[in-house]
Every structure is written in C-alpha cells, then in structure tokens.
Amino acid sequence: MTPRERLVTVRENSPKEEVLALLHKHRIEKVLVIDDDFALKGMITVKDFQKATEFRGPARTSGRAARRCRRRHQSDTLDRVAALRERAWT
C-alpha cells in the first residue's frame, strides 16, 4: 500500500492546470481528490480531460443557452408527436 505522503493528491476545486501539471510531472493517469481532512472525495483521470474537450455538448454550455435549447424543443414537441402518431395510424 502506498504511504500517505507519497500519494499524489489535489484539493477539491483545484484549477485544471494544477491537475494537468501533476499528471504530467508524475507520469500518472489518475489523481486523487481530497478534502481538508484528507478524506477521499473522488478521482480525476486523464480520460476526464480528453472527454471534456472531445464532447462539448449542451452540458458544457452556459445554463442560459441550455435552458433556451430545452424550451425551444419543448414548445412544439407535443405537436410533432401527435403528427407522427396520426401518420403512423393512418
């Protein structure tokens, strides 16, 4: 088991640059996220950063833009479903 002082850790809400620097410096794929009491809160992996840059969808946009997008789709959804149902049953 790795001794506590040799673990590579970051605090919660650490900047992205700090995490990336630790991953690169220690040539590891995972960094442990801890709180002030050294309790494990999670883990950040290299894949997390890769996925965040590859899959920039509505979840990555601002809250206002995501709400607008949802509203736009919800306003005519029921009408479209009714039209599809009519076409399918006739």
Side-chain angles (χ1 to χ4, degrees):
M1 185 176 223
T2 306
R4 186 178 191 169
E5 56 276 353
R6 289 195 50 221
L7 290 174
V8 179
T9 60
V10 293
R11 299 280 181 201
E12 290 179 292
N13 302 321
S14 294
K16 177 175 117 173
E17 295 77 21
E18 178 185 346
V19 177
L20 286 170
L22 281 172
L23 289 168
H24 184 71
K25 176 183 174 187
H26 295 282
R27 296 180 183 212
I28 54 177
E29 292 186 7
K30 298 172 184 141
V31 174
L32 303 174
V33 179
I34 58 169
D35 63 6
D36 294 331
D37 299 326
F38 210 83
L40 182 65
K41 291 296 181 178
M43 186 170 32
I44 300 175
T45 66
V46 173
K47 274 254 197 240
D48 293 333
F49 288 106
Q50 290 171 346
K51 287 180 181 179
T53 56
E54 288 176 15
F55 302 108
R56 288 196 177 269
R60 302 263 183 248
T61 61
S62 72
R64 190 177 340 142
R67 283 191 301 274
R68 268 198 317 262
C69 183
R70 278 194 303 267
R71 257 187 261 128
R72 186 173 352 134
H73 291 294
Q74 288 176 350
S75 64
D76 67 336
T77 299
L78 294 177
D79 297 332
R80 290 182 10 221
V81 169
L84 285 171
R85 185 181 292 165
E86 277 182 39
R87 268 191 251 149
W89 295 105
T90 58

